[in-house]
Amino acid sequence: NAGVTQTPKFQVLKTGQSMTLQCAQDMNHEYMSWYRQDPGMGLRLIHYSVGAGITDQGEVPNGYNVSRSTTEDFPLRLLSAAPSQTSVYFCASSYAPRPTRQETQYFGPGTRLLVL
Amino acid sequence: AQKITQTQPGMFVQEKEAVTLDCTYDTSDQSYGLFWYKQPSSGEMIFLIYQGSYDEQNATEGRYSLNFQKARKSANLVISASQLGDSAMYFCAMTSVTSYGKLTFGQGTILTVHP
């Protein structure tokens, strides 16, 4: 199993450009999520999905869109990049958001995004 | 709302000694999960250990154990027999019954293991 994969590893954008961060998992996990990590801080939830066709907002959703057409893929779209979106982005997945160890989220390697 | 507090920005430990990383949490929910993740300098997030709020025993995973004190709302990570490879950032995180799947993270503790 590859686990959770993310592409690209690193990206530089200009203000106003759009792009899609890709995330895929091969563990048949129901739950997928996107977090961002800013310097000196823990991760903050952007969007999440409890299954194909179902998405919802997290703590910091503004400026980002998501969709989930398959169980495996959960892309994150930046609509019009801003310097404040410079961050490291992590995708994660788990079996299910239930009160057991099955809710443990496994993370991808991250995407470093620099917006100029 | 839930909150995680890690009060130790940095910790130092000698190789082969044990170290405790502190974590306190705040939630009004009775059902919740507590997690520890390790982030080495390479940047990936590595899951270490999980503790459910109704688990009667402290969780253990190899050299990692979680000292869970429910009344004090603390979930400290204990690393026994530290190794140089344990040098990393460590994050405590939680979910709760009203926000399962939505991890709330602390600010992290940087652990440095000295030879």
Side-chain angles (χ1 to χ4, degrees), chain A residues 31 37 48 99 101 103 105, chain B residues 37 39 61 95 100-102:
Chain A
Y31 183 86
Q37 183 180 26
Y48 64 97
R101 189 191 165 99
E103 68 164 327
Q105 294 187 38
Chain B
Y37 286 88
Q39 186 175 44
E61 294 280 353
T95 64
Y100 276 118
K102 304 176 191 177

Side-chain angles (χ1 to χ4, degrees), chain B residues 5 12 16 18 22 52 58 76 84 97 104 111:
Chain B
T5 302
F12 296 89
K16 299 180 184 177
D22 293 342
N58 287 344
N76 298 339
L84 296 178
V97 67
T104 296
L111 176 67

Side-chain angles (χ1 to χ4, degrees), chain B residues 7-19:
Chain B
T7 57
Q8 306 157 315
M11 288 285 286
F12 296 89
V13 66
Q14 208 69 25
E15 194 178 8
K16 299 180 184 177
E17 293 185 348
V19 63

